[in-house]
Amino acid sequence: MTHFHRVVYDCYRRLGRSFPWRETDDPYEIFVSEMMLQQTPVQRVMGKYEEFLKHFPIVQKLAEADLSSVLKVWSGIGYNRRALYLRNAARKICEIHGGTIPSSLKALLNLPGVGQSTAGALLNFAFRIPTPFVETNIRRAITHFFQIPGETRDGEILSLVDATMDRKNPRTWFYALMDYGASLRRRPEKGEKKEHRHEPFRGSRREKRGKVLRALLSLGELTLEELERETGEERSQLTPLLRDMVEEGLLKQKGEFFLVGE
DNA sequence: AACACGGGGCT
DNA sequence: AGCCCAGTGTT
């Protein structure tokens, strides 16, 4: 038990957070939470998580689901392509792994939408296999405590995570470490890495994509003309955007109609 | 290494 | 209007 451990665990006792996905041991339920939490505030996930599991309680149900039904529940969380990744990951889990969430890093990384961070989180939280990983709260926790520059490479952060993690209690340790990191928001160190800045959301291509998706989810299938009217966007803006969304598998085109699904 | 990808809440 | 927030896939 080092000083670092004492600080982190002490913080956890004082202001550790409780979430539905921290109460379950079901790897599928934890998997869903990790996919939702990518680049998404915890508070927002809280509002959708239980509803999502009510609609898709087990991985087989999600695997069978139409993309439109998944996106209807997902809508509002953001980064809609993650819903497609998640549904497709569920299919792959059913086809290749017999409906069991895989517990090896290699197999997890082969699932769509699962990278180093999500795979690491899953191994620790769902399977209690101690696995170093880096995400924003862990980065903040490590750079703050060890007083290293915010621009420090993930590789170096990762080796510090590896060197300091509590291998006997991986799940609790990473909850504690992430909560410690979360408690440090709002008072960044001098050299804190500036998260790459976004364009304004208003008027952005992202916003247009969101409008298109919402229109198609609520009205079914629409022509280009109808989409122009429903979203209030110009055809010249809509056309390339629709082509990309079809390409990504978010939308499908049947004749002159566009609809949600791949 | 740089980009694209949502959207709600807060100041 | 600008900033923040449990990353991943593509180019």
Side-chain angles (χ1 to χ4, degrees):
Chain A
M1 182 71 98
T2 65
H3 178 49
F4 184 43
H5 291 165
R6 263 193 300 279
V7 169
V8 170
Y9 276 134
D10 182 61
C11 173
Y12 191 52
R13 274 188 294 277
R14 282 177 12 248
L15 31 87
R17 301 171 295 177
S18 175
F19 304 120
W21 50 88
R22 289 188 176 185
E23 307 300 321
T24 179
D25 283 318
D26 183 338
Y28 167 70
E29 295 186 359
I30 297 172
F31 181 52
V32 169
S33 76
E34 292 303 329
M35 293 297 285
M36 288 185 165
L37 286 162
Q38 291 170 10
Q39 289 283 285
T40 305
V42 168
Q43 191 53 251
R44 191 181 310 178
V45 173
M46 288 277 260
K48 290 282 184 177
Y49 180 68
E50 315 234 73
E51 185 190 353
F52 189 95
L53 287 181
K54 212 175 300 172
H55 282 84
F56 313 107
I58 59 176
V59 68
Q60 286 83 1
K61 293 291 185 188
L62 181 57
E64 295 166 0
D66 292 333
L67 185 58
S68 62
S69 67
V70 178
L71 278 168
K72 277 176 186 163
V73 183
W74 190 275
S75 191
I77 292 187
Y79 290 102
N80 297 303
R81 60 171 61 151
R82 281 181 302 154
L84 175 62
Y85 293 152
L86 178 54
R87 199 280 310 267
N88 289 348
R91 290 186 171 175
K92 197 162 183 176
I93 289 164
C94 288
E95 288 166 12
I96 299 183
H97 303 289
T100 302
I101 312 294
S103 57
S104 78
L105 185 60
K106 183 171 160 61
L108 287 171
L109 290 175
N110 278 325
L111 299 173
V114 177
Q116 290 292 336
S117 174
T118 300
L122 279 167
L123 290 175
N124 289 293
F125 300 149
F127 303 107
R128 299 168 196 263
I129 298 170
T131 310
F133 70 103
V134 179
E135 50 70 72
T136 185
N137 288 315
I138 292 176
R139 162 177 284 282
R140 191 185 297 108
I142 295 287
T143 57
H144 177 267
F145 186 87
F146 294 103
Q147 309 208 347
I148 57 179
E151 310 82 41
T152 305
R153 300 289 191 177
D154 275 1
E156 192 174 333
I157 304 286
L158 192 64
S159 58
L160 281 169
V161 172
D162 189 26
T164 57
M165 66 183 179
D166 180 357
R167 292 167 191 276
K168 296 285 193 245
N169 307 287
R171 187 173 184 179
T172 304
W173 168 252
F174 281 105
Y175 286 158
L177 186 59
M178 293 168 78
D179 286 0
Y180 175 63
S183 76
L184 268 24
R185 279 175 310 185
R186 276 274 157 208
R187 31 185 158 129
E189 286 302 288
K190 208 179 301 184
E192 183 90 35
K193 180 181 195 173
K194 24 191 166 219
E195 311 294 334
H196 64 236
R197 48 183 57 252
H198 291 260
E199 264 176 48
F201 182 64
R202 278 297 163 191
S204 69
R205 185 186 154 94
R206 290 185 188 202
E207 187 186 35
K208 297 184 197 347
R209 286 171 57 109
K211 284 191 202 170
V212 166
L213 205 51
R214 280 191 295 278
L216 293 173
L217 285 174
S218 71
L219 300 173
E221 37 180 69
L222 298 173
T223 64
L224 184 54
E225 289 73 22
E226 291 167 329
L227 277 168
E228 272 186 272
R229 196 173 63 249
E230 292 299 325
T231 64
E233 300 294 341
E234 300 294 333
R235 169 178 313 221
S236 60
Q237 307 279 306
L238 250 28
T239 303
L241 181 149
L242 288 167
R243 177 176 50 72
D244 289 347
M245 292 177 80
V246 169
E247 176 73 23
E248 291 168 24
L250 238 27
L251 301 185
K252 181 164 51 176
Q253 186 170 10
K254 299 183 72 168
E256 58 177 346
F257 289 98
F258 292 93
L259 55 126
V260 176
E262 131 255 22

